[in-house]
Amino acid sequence: MLSLAQNLVDRSDNWEFIELWVDPIIFPPRILMLVGSQQGNCCIYDATANYKPLFESAVYDEAHSWLVEDDYERVDGRILSGEIF
């Protein structure tokens, strides 16, 4: 049986970017990953809960709004797939 983290790796072969978001109020901070696909779909994963998917959207703006509504803050920078491969 594959772990949720392995499922994330298997599903993300067409990812375009990854953003890290944190909840700065709690300690230790809750860390979420917003993964955008080349088709424009976005999925938010909880890095502190074995990469459990929390939210999926067909567009970036909806995923961004979901994070901002819950007071998450984006960590500076964005990881692009073209920079890694």
Side-chain angles (χ1 to χ4, degrees):
M1 182 165 131
L2 295 175
S3 71
L4 289 173
Q6 184 61 46
N7 285 336
L8 172 61
V9 170
D10 292 342
R11 287 182 52 187
S12 64
D13 60 347
N14 68 343
W15 66 281
E16 183 177 354
F17 67 88
I18 297 173
E19 294 178 351
L20 296 179
W21 291 73
V22 298
D23 181 346
I25 309 251
I26 61 173
F27 185 82
R30 186 174 183 196
I31 300 168
L32 302 182
M33 288 177 32
L34 188 156
V35 179
S37 75
Q38 294 171 353
Q39 293 77 27
N41 300 323
C42 291
C43 189
I44 298 171
Y45 298 92
D46 188 343
T48 56
N50 205 20
Y51 300 97
K52 175 184 168 187
L54 298 177
F55 182 83
E56 291 189 46
S57 172
V59 294
Y60 174 83
D61 289 341
E62 289 177 6
H64 180 270
S65 294
W66 188 88
L67 290 161
V68 171
E69 285 175 9
D70 287 343
D71 296 324
Y72 283 90
E73 295 179 5
R74 190 176 114 179
V75 176
D76 288 338
R78 179 185 262 192
I79 301 168
L80 302 175
S81 64
E83 296 174 344
I84 295 176
F85 299 111

